[in-house]
Every structure is written in structure tokens, then in C-alpha cells.
Amino acid sequence: EAGVVQSPRYKIIEKKQPVAFWCNPISGHNTLYWYRQNLGQGPELLIRYENEEAVDDSQLPKDRFSAERLKGVDSTLKIQPAELGDSAVYLCASSPRTSNEQFFGPGTRLTVL
Amino acid sequence: GEDVEQSLFLSVREGDSSVINCTYTDSSSTYLYWYKQEPGAGLQLLTYIFSNMDMKQDQRLTVLLNKKDKHLSLRIADTQTGDSAIYFCAEASDNYGQNFVFGPGTRLSVLP
């Protein structure tokens, strides 16, 4: 079974530029999460989807961050414009309806210069 | 809000036991988890325990939960160099165990 796929693995951009991250969850997993992990810290939830509905986006900085999961499968997280403080690893995770175990992707390491 | 704390570093000798500790503040925590993160990789679930349990053992891993003190520990027996990683404690308190709060992680270094 393929795991959670994320791309790109690494991204370096200049501040004020836009950036997008893509996630393909494990097939059949209806719940999808985006986390941000700052250096030396644990992941912090940005947004959680149940199918195509964002059920918790309270921690998403909506002035510059947006996310979508149009068909309830893969998802895109966008930052526009990026700031220096956005440098972090962005992790995607998914879980099936019948379990609370989250399966994580390898993450996208973003560096904003 | 909920808070999860861990010591940041732990060094042990190969073959010794490792004990990684975690404290949390949310008394309504339903599930408590231990995740492992190796360099450049995502988090991998090691084990979890329900809040109505005191202990769970899984091969070399033993999880102890003191609900009164809100203290969780992970013991790794016969620690190997491959166990070197960052270990995250996490708690989930909603009805579906979906909203996780992670600790800062404990970096375990195993010395030969």
C-alpha cells in the first residue's frame, strides 16, 4: 500500500513569492491534515478535512494561507505571499474513518529567503 | 489550551533502556500517542494508549500512563542505534481522537 505522498520535498523561494504544496493521502482515507513543523518543535495543526469539507481551520492564517481538497482526495496548501517566518516543514497526514491513527507523509521543507 | 511537554534530549548507551517522559495538561485526553521521526522523514506511529489503561507493552516498547499526574512515559528496552530519532508525545481529546496536540519532541541519541 502506498503511503502519503507529498511534493515537492524541498522548496526554496524568496519572500513575497507564492508557493504551493501538494498531498495525496492513502487511498480510502477520508480525513486529511496539514501540519506545520518548525525547527525543534512538534507539528502544529493548520487544517483538517473530512472528505472535501474543512472541519477545523482555526489555526490556519487565512490572510496568506489557503487550502483546498476539491474532490475529497488530494489536497493543495498555498501560501501567498510567503514571509520569512513561514520557513518550516509542512506535513500532510491522513487517517481512515475507522481509526484515529494518522499516517504522515515525508513533508515539504520550505525555506523562505 | 492543551499543552504537552517533553524533555528535549536523552542520551543512552546501546543495550541500555531508554525512558522518555511526557506531561500533558488536558484532563479530558482520550488517547495518548508516541510517534517516532527519523531525519528527513514524516512521523511514524509507534504505539498509543487509551486513557482508561495504565500500561501497554508491545515488544521492546512499554507505555506507562499516570492519569492522576497527567504523565506518560515510553520505555524502550535494549536500545539500539536504529532507535536514534526524535520521539513525539501527542494527546487527542475530542470524541473521535482526531485533533492531536504534539509535544516538542525528545531527541534520543544512542551511543555505541
Side-chain angles (χ1 to χ4, degrees), chain A residues 39-111:
Chain A
L39 188 64
Q41 297 182 21
E44 296 176 322
L45 181 69
L46 292 173
I47 190 168
R48 170 166 67 98
Y49 282 94
E50 296 288 344
N51 301 307
E52 66 275 8
E53 182 183 357
V55 296
D56 184 356
D57 63 356
S58 57
Q59 302 301 313
L60 190 72
K62 297 180 184 64
D63 56 335
R64 297 183 300 106
F65 285 66
S66 64
E68 59 183 18
R69 193 186 185 198
L70 294 176
K71 296 182 179 179
V73 180
D74 56 349
S75 176
T76 303
L77 177 68
K78 297 178 182 177
I79 308 175
Q80 182 171 12
E83 297 179 352
L84 294 177
D86 296 331
S87 294
V89 175
Y90 290 83
L91 294 165
C92 179
S94 68
S95 62
R97 189 185 305 277
T98 56
S99 168
N100 51 34
E101 179 177 353
Q102 296 188 23
F103 296 80
F104 283 81
T108 296
R109 182 177 295 276
L110 173 67
T111 302

Side-chain angles (χ1 to χ4, degrees), chain A residues 9-10 31 33 35 37 40-45 48 50 56 89 91 95-97 99-107 109, chain B residues 8 31 33 35 37 39-46 48 50 86 88 92 94 96-105 107:
Chain A
R9 290 295 313 276
Y10 304 91
T31 308
Y33 312 76
Y35 289 89
Q37 185 178 19
Q41 297 182 21
E44 296 176 322
L45 181 69
R48 170 166 67 98
E50 296 288 344
D56 184 356
V89 175
L91 294 165
S95 62
R97 189 185 305 277
S99 168
N100 51 34
E101 179 177 353
Q102 296 188 23
F103 296 80
F104 283 81
R109 182 177 295 276
Chain B
L8 297 183
Y31 304 92
Y33 302 82
Y35 277 83
Q37 186 177 36
L43 279 70
Q44 173 195 0
L45 179 66
L46 288 179
Y48 65 91
F50 296 111
I86 302 176
F88 292 94
D94 70 9
Y96 301 97
Q98 299 279 11
N99 287 335
F100 284 36
V101 177
F102 286 87
R107 182 179 294 276

